[in-house]
Amino acid sequence: MATVVEMVLGTDPDAIPLARQFTRQALAGHPSSVVEDAELIVTELVTNVFLHGRHPAALRVLPLADGVRIEVEDSGKNMPVQMADNPEAMTGRGLGLIAALASTWGIDPSASGGKLIWAEVSEDADSTGTGTDHRMDVPALPTAGTDDATGETLYTIELGSVPTDLLIAAKAQIDNLVREFTLAETGASTTSGKQVPPQLRELVDTVVHGFATARSMIKRQALAASARGAPETLLTLTLPLSAADAGERYLEALEEADRYANAAQLLTLATPPVHRIFRRWYVEALVDQLRRQAAGLPRQSFPTFPQQLGQEVTRLAPLQLLAHRLTLLQKVTAELTGAAGVDDITDIVVRNATTVFGANTARIYLLQNGVMQARATEDGGVVGQAETYDSFPLSADLPGAVALRTRQPLIFRDVADLARRFPALANVYTDERTLLVAPLIVGDHELGSMSLTFRGPSQVDLDTQLSFLTTMADLTAQAVERAMAASAADVATERLEFLAEASVVLASSLDYRTVLAAVADLVVPRVADWCVIQLLEQDQLQTVALTHFDPEKVAWANQYADRYPTDMSAPTGAPNVIRTGVSELYPHIPEEMVTAAAVDEDHLTLLRELGLSSALVVPLTGRRGTFGALTLIYADSGRRYAPTDVGFAEDLARRAALAVDTAYEFREQSGRLAEVTRIAEAAQHAILAPPPSQLGPVALSARYVSAAAEALIGGDMYEVLRRPGAVRLLIGDVRGKGLGAVRATTIVLGEFRAAAADLEDLTDVAAQIDRRVRPYLGDEDFVTALLAEITDDGRFSVANCGHPPALVAVAADGSITEVLGPPTLPLGLGAAPTLCTGRLETGDRLLLYTDGLLEARDASRAFVDPRPIVEPLVHSELDAVLDDVLSKLLAEVGGVLSDDLALLVAEYRSDPNADGDPARD
């Protein structure tokens, strides 16, 4: 008699391949076709144990005279069911494979109370898959043949009719879920790629075994109905009371499985909505009927599955309507995202308001200098007085102005309602209307208002319309705010780039007339149609630069210069600006102003021919006081100057004045060494304006010292800038000397002012400067720099780009420490610094410096120890601290530095004074 060999199946992931290996060894000497078929059958039976059975389990291989018998026994009572073919199911095909390979197979109860699944493979190839099917008649099994049957009293539950296809599809989906979670738990999953977390392992057991009886009954009834071709299955279940608790656990486990599948993005395991509705319906109905029958209560009416679906559709209908409306809003939002400017945004909104939301008219007003200006309109054929309200003051008693002043939306149910509140509007509309008005507000920024009208009185859903109006208004306001901010940022960037170019021009020559003429040429036509620069010489104004983009007009204007000299007693214009040192802005030049300025009729004709529309006059103020004026004029272009242009023009004038000062100092100084040193300092100061004494809670002081031993201008720099809630600082050093270093310096400073004002992250500021400065550097050039930020609450951060580290002096204990971080590359070489952060208390100081401090040498050519040099950082007054540091340093080096040195110190004060220089703000 052949010997039976047995293998106890383990629970490890390698149980399946070990079982195949065991079978292959046990059948050594049998035909390869038998061995291969036996291995496939073993694979399916052992997999079935993992998916639907219980351990302990065993595999037995019994060689027969004409083949082999495979047996797999486990302690579970769930009987496998051979399902109909389903291309979407990942399970249920194993029994079909066994039936195809085996000459006969079957399922028997085991002596231990579990089940035994067996299959025989014949060596006769023709007999494979054609033998008798000895599968057990499962309904004939005792009640104990299921995992959750315990000999309890059984109750019959009637659930009603359910579509057969739905039952089979739901069974396949649950089986797929069980298969994936089970294989993932054992590490054998090949499709999910996910490892089931430990807390979900119990879930698998609950789904597989905890509710097996009910699932098995539904499965068999569905298969029987499908075999009969019945489109619906009448579900009748016979279950113990314990199935109620098991059902609730089963439902909870499936919902947890759905949450896990969604979180892990296991899309193949996602439960279709109709399946979720079905399982909750039948489990809740089953639980309710079981408990009522067990308690002796009469059966309670429970909705049928079609009724449940109807209730679900009713519940979802409003959500569908809301989703549709949200989709419309999303469409508008998507269009607004791609809008290029304010005009595009307002056009998009009014167009969608009429075409998407069904408004008959739509208007958007934007607030400009206290006046509400219509920027976009869709009037829908309105006649009457609507066109007279394209512009009105914010103080007007009109709906748009009132909505913005009160910051509240307005709604008028009909024309009569509108006329009662605003009598002036009684005749604006010739037909019945509903009017909705909403303010356009972002935080404290009041931008304007939006108004929509709908034909007819209040038949529309006013609450819904108002809700969507305010939502649309919020979207519009935010889009307009972003566009305005972007436009302002573009203007600021252009101006910073312009100032950087101007700084290069100002440093290009020591002939002030050449320099000022070059500046005038730079100004026109970018920021003016006419540019006039005048200097005070012997109590008279001399024109040193006069520029227009048309050379013929310049020649024509010069012909009248001697005929109409500037009246130094004039109460306005350049003479008054020089006397007072205060800029004058003329956003609009009216005819009466032109007439008042004319000396005679010919002069009046000349002024009218100029076509002046707007002007801005700023003083040229240097170390010698105010000695000239810069006049910018708009004429041909029709553009106008605004208050925001004054600071820019004054900054340009300061730089020009410093350049003129530099030229004067160059001519007045004697001695080559003194001349070179003063030239370097003057040129450097033309670029490096002194910082304000205080910005917010940060007090500031800076010094720059040229190296007397050098014959070229250096590239040491510093800058400070105020932004909302913080002060940002820069110190840097351009490799090299001369105008190339100066040019790189101005570019770095200009890019810092632009990026530091706009970008939130200090490392992004460094990255932008690095990217922008590269085209202006030679192959071996770079810029070491250190960027710092001090917030109003005392927090600070430092981004170091290959520069000497900052020093922090703590007032409380007198300590001085370095702010150290990982080494990074300088600007121009791919700087990518890491932020170092800390906090300053009141009185603490942050010192930024260039390498002139570290490279200073004493008389013996040894490097000077910087630690005693910076001791004044702790105890000296802020105004004197850098002078004290320089005194100690010069004493150590013998009075002459070998390299330029820039120093910038910031002291945190918790009770800030008013900001210093508004141009730095």
Side-chain angles (χ1 to χ4, degrees):
M1 180 177 179
T3 302
V4 178
V5 291
E6 180 177 289
M7 172 187 178
V8 176
L9 297 174
T11 59
D12 296 330
D14 59 353
I16 295 173
L18 288 176
R20 292 173 62 96
Q21 182 180 3
F22 172 79
T23 303
R24 188 164 51 251
Q25 294 173 349
L27 297 179
H30 284 72
S32 60
S33 60
V34 173
V35 176
E36 291 172 359
D37 290 349
E39 285 188 68
L40 288 174
I41 291 172
V42 166
T43 298
E44 294 300 329
L45 293 181
V46 174
T47 300
N48 184 72
V49 172
F50 275 96
L51 294 178
H52 306 294
R54 284 183 180 272
H55 288 81
L59 165 66
R60 303 184 188 93
V61 179
L62 175 63
L64 303 175
D66 60 345
V68 61
R69 178 183 174 94
I70 308 296
E71 297 179 354
V72 174
E73 180 181 357
D74 72 272
S75 56
K77 302 180 181 65
N78 286 341
M79 297 300 167
V81 177
Q82 185 175 354
M83 295 294 293
D85 290 339
N86 182 355
E88 297 182 359
M90 293 184 288
T91 63
R93 302 172 184 173
L95 294 182
L97 178 62
I98 293 172
L101 296 175
S103 56
T104 183
W105 68 282
I107 307 171
D108 298 322
S110 66
S112 60
K115 63 179 177 293
L116 177 72
I117 305 179
W118 56 270
E120 294 182 0
V121 179
S122 174
E123 294 183 2
D124 182 1
D126 294 337
S127 65
T128 301
T130 60
T132 304
D133 183 352
H134 293 288
R135 286 176 290 178
M136 181 183 303
D137 183 9
V138 177
L141 290 172
T143 302
T146 57
D147 287 350
D148 54 0
T150 58
E152 302 175 73
T153 302
L154 300 179
Y155 303 94
T156 300
I157 306 300
E158 295 181 356
L159 296 177
S161 296
V162 177
T164 301
D165 291 345
L166 171 63
L167 293 176
I168 293 175
K171 181 270 172 192
Q173 197 276 333
I174 295 296
D175 284 351
N176 291 347
L177 184 97
V178 169
R179 175 185 180 276
E180 283 298 284
F181 277 176
T182 301
L183 296 183
E185 182 185 11
T186 63
S189 176
T190 60
T191 61
S192 72
K194 303 287 184 180
Q195 191 71 28
V196 175
Q199 65 269 26
L200 292 181
R201 290 177 179 172
E202 185 178 349
L203 177 151
V204 177
D205 185 73
T206 300
V207 174
V208 174
H209 305 293
F211 199 51
T213 300
R215 288 182 58 232
S216 179
M217 289 182 179
I218 292 174
K219 183 190 308 180
R220 295 175 187 281
Q221 292 179 40
L223 289 174
S226 178
R228 298 192 305 271
E232 292 189 339
T233 301
L234 182 64
L235 294 179
T236 302
L237 309 179
T238 302
L239 299 168
L241 178 60
S242 60
D245 291 340
E248 290 178 336
R249 291 193 301 272
Y250 169 76
L251 192 59
E252 182 179 351
L254 285 178
E255 290 178 351
E256 179 64 24
D258 281 343
R259 286 191 290 271
Y260 173 75
N262 289 333
Q265 297 183 344
L266 304 179
L267 300 181
T268 58
L269 304 183
T271 303
V274 68
H275 292 188
R276 286 197 296 270
I277 297 171
F278 165 68
R279 77 188 182 202
R280 177 164 290 279
W281 167 79
Y282 94 79
V283 171
E284 289 179 352
L286 179 153
V287 169
D288 179 75
Q289 290 191 39
L290 275 177
R291 288 176 177 165
R292 293 185 69 84
Q293 287 191 43
L297 299 175
R299 177 177 176 176
Q300 187 177 27
S301 176
F302 204 86
T304 64
F305 183 61
Q307 290 173 336
Q308 184 73 22
L309 284 177
Q311 293 175 6
E312 196 69 20
V313 170
T314 302
R315 184 182 70 84
L316 293 176
L319 298 180
Q320 185 178 19
L321 177 60
L322 177 60
H324 174 66
R325 290 172 174 170
L326 290 175
T327 300
L328 297 180
L329 278 176
Q330 187 177 18
K331 173 183 178 293
V332 177
T333 303
E335 289 191 45
L336 290 177
T337 302
V342 173
D343 290 337
D344 285 344
I345 290 170
T346 54
D347 288 343
I348 287 171
V349 171
V350 298
R351 173 168 44 80
N352 279 280
T354 55
T355 60
V356 175
F357 294 104
N360 184 250
T361 68
R363 283 196 166 206
I364 291 180
Y365 293 88
L366 295 183
L367 182 63
Q368 298 176 351
N369 298 321
V371 177
M372 301 287 282
Q373 297 281 354
R375 290 295 291 267
T377 62
E378 287 284 345
D379 286 332
V382 172
V383 295
Q385 303 176 21
E387 66 279 359
T388 65
Y389 296 103
D390 287 340
S391 176
F392 51 84
L394 180 60
S395 58
D397 190 28
L398 292 172
V402 172
L404 187 56
R405 291 201 305 268
T406 62
R407 302 171 70 91
Q408 295 294 326
L410 303 176
I411 183 167
F412 302 95
R413 298 176 178 274
D414 49 38
V415 171
D417 190 17
L418 174 65
R420 280 190 293 272
R421 174 61 183 84
F422 298 100
L425 302 180
N427 298 320
V428 170
Y429 301 108
T430 58
D431 55 0
E432 196 60 78
R433 298 294 177 96
T434 299
L435 175 66
L436 305 174
V437 185
L440 302 179
I441 298 173
V442 178
D444 295 331
H445 195 182
E446 297 175 347
L447 302 173
S449 64
M450 167 191 290
S451 66
L452 304 178
T453 70
F454 296 86
R455 288 195 183 278
S458 58
Q459 287 114 355
V460 297
D461 182 351
L462 296 181
D463 289 338
T464 300
Q465 294 285 10
L466 183 58
S467 173
F468 275 86
L469 169 73
T470 53
T471 301
M472 177 70 83
D474 288 342
L475 290 173
T476 304
Q478 292 171 21
V480 169
E481 175 85 351
R482 287 194 301 271
M484 287 182 171
S487 177
D490 290 342
V491 171
T493 300
E494 290 176 3
R495 289 181 172 179
L496 288 170
E497 291 175 350
F498 175 85
L499 289 175
E501 292 183 41
S503 296
V504 174
V505 170
L506 288 168
S508 64
S509 173
L510 290 172
D511 181 346
Y512 72 88
R513 288 180 175 269
T514 300
V515 168
L516 293 179
V519 169
D521 288 336
L522 193 64
V523 166
V524 175
R526 292 167 65 176
V527 294
D529 298 333
W530 289 91
C531 177
V532 182
I533 302 178
Q534 296 169 294
L535 298 183
L536 189 62
E537 297 179 358
Q538 299 179 349
D539 297 329
Q540 291 294 321
L541 280 178
Q542 300 294 328
T543 300
V544 295
L546 173 62
T547 306
H548 187 274
F549 61 84
D550 184 353
E552 293 185 1
K553 285 195 173 184
V554 173
W556 171 73
N558 282 327
Q559 293 177 1
Y560 292 90
D562 295 334
R563 182 176 174 184
Y564 299 107
T566 303
D567 180 5
M568 295 303 297
S569 63
T572 60
N576 188 57
V577 167
I578 293 174
R579 285 194 301 270
T580 63
V582 178
S583 301
E584 291 181 358
L585 169 66
Y586 301 97
H588 172 63
I589 299 178
E591 173 64 21
E592 53 268 25
M593 182 180 291
V594 174
T595 303
V599 175
D600 52 32
E601 286 299 324
D602 288 344
H603 193 202
L604 178 60
T605 301
L606 169 65
L607 294 177
R608 285 174 174 169
E609 287 179 359
L610 290 175
L612 309 180
S613 62
S614 183
L616 176 57
V617 187
V618 295
L620 292 173
T621 303
R623 287 184 287 273
R624 299 180 293 111
T626 300
F627 55 81
L630 168 67
T631 302
L632 304 177
I633 299 172
Y634 279 139
D636 312 66
S637 66
R639 294 178 290 178
R640 299 185 187 278
Y641 292 106
T644 54
D645 296 313
V646 176
F648 161 71
E650 289 177 340
D651 196 351
L652 176 62
R654 275 196 297 271
R655 294 165 190 259
L658 286 171
V660 173
D661 274 345
T662 301
Y664 275 117
E665 288 184 11
F666 174 72
R667 290 191 302 175
E668 294 172 358
Q669 298 304 320
S670 61
R672 182 177 183 280
L673 181 60
E675 287 178 352
V676 171
T677 301
R678 293 176 188 274
I679 292 167
E681 289 181 345
Q684 201 75 13
H685 285 302
I687 303 169
L688 304 178
S693 60
Q694 185 157 339
L695 290 177
V698 180
L700 299 160
S701 182
R703 297 290 185 275
Y704 172 78
V705 180
S706 295
E710 295 290 340
L712 292 174
I713 300 170
D716 289 26
M717 71 188 84
Y718 60 80
E719 181 60 289
V720 297
L721 180 141
R722 176 74 165 152
R723 72 192 309 271
V727 174
R728 284 185 169 173
L729 307 93
L730 165 74
I731 197 157
D733 186 2
V734 178
R735 180 185 181 276
K737 298 289 183 180
L739 292 180
V742 172
R743 184 166 184 260
T745 297
T746 58
I747 293 168
V748 171
L749 291 175
E751 292 300 335
F752 171 75
R753 295 180 190 115
D758 295 340
L759 301 180
E760 291 293 332
D761 193 317
L762 204 59
T763 59
D764 290 342
V765 175
Q768 180 162 312
I769 299 174
D770 174 85
R771 185 172 61 255
R772 297 286 181 86
V773 79
R774 289 181 195 174
Y776 301 93
L777 297 177
D779 293 339
E780 297 180 1
D781 294 337
F782 56 84
V783 182
T784 69
L786 188 143
L787 292 76
E789 178 180 83
I790 303 174
T791 62
D792 288 355
D793 61 2
R795 291 178 291 109
F796 74 90
S797 55
V798 173
N800 194 325
C801 304
H803 197 80
L807 300 178
V808 174
V810 180
D813 59 12
S815 63
I816 299 177
T817 58
E818 293 182 333
V819 181
L820 296 175
T824 60
L825 293 173
L827 299 175
L829 298 180
T834 301
L835 282 185
C836 297
T837 60
R839 177 174 289 276
L840 300 177
E841 302 297 336
T842 300
D844 291 352
R845 293 170 175 172
L846 186 68
L847 175 66
L848 282 59
Y849 55 94
T850 57
D851 59 3
L853 178 63
L854 301 180
E855 296 181 356
R857 296 175 184 264
D858 60 17
S860 65
R861 305 303 298 161
F863 287 111
V864 174
D865 184 0
R867 288 174 294 181
I869 301 298
V870 298
E871 285 179 355
L873 191 62
V874 176
H875 53 75
S876 294
E877 293 294 326
L878 184 65
D879 292 340
V881 62
L882 295 183
D883 292 335
D884 293 344
V885 169
L886 288 172
S887 296
K888 293 172 70 70
L889 179 61
L890 292 173
E892 288 289 330
V893 301
V896 178
L897 294 177
S898 61
D899 194 6
D900 295 352
L901 174 62
L903 300 170
L904 178 62
V905 63
E907 178 179 312
Y908 177 69
R909 298 176 178 178
S910 58
D911 183 17
N913 297 320
D915 286 356
D917 186 356
R920 294 292 186 99
D921 249 346

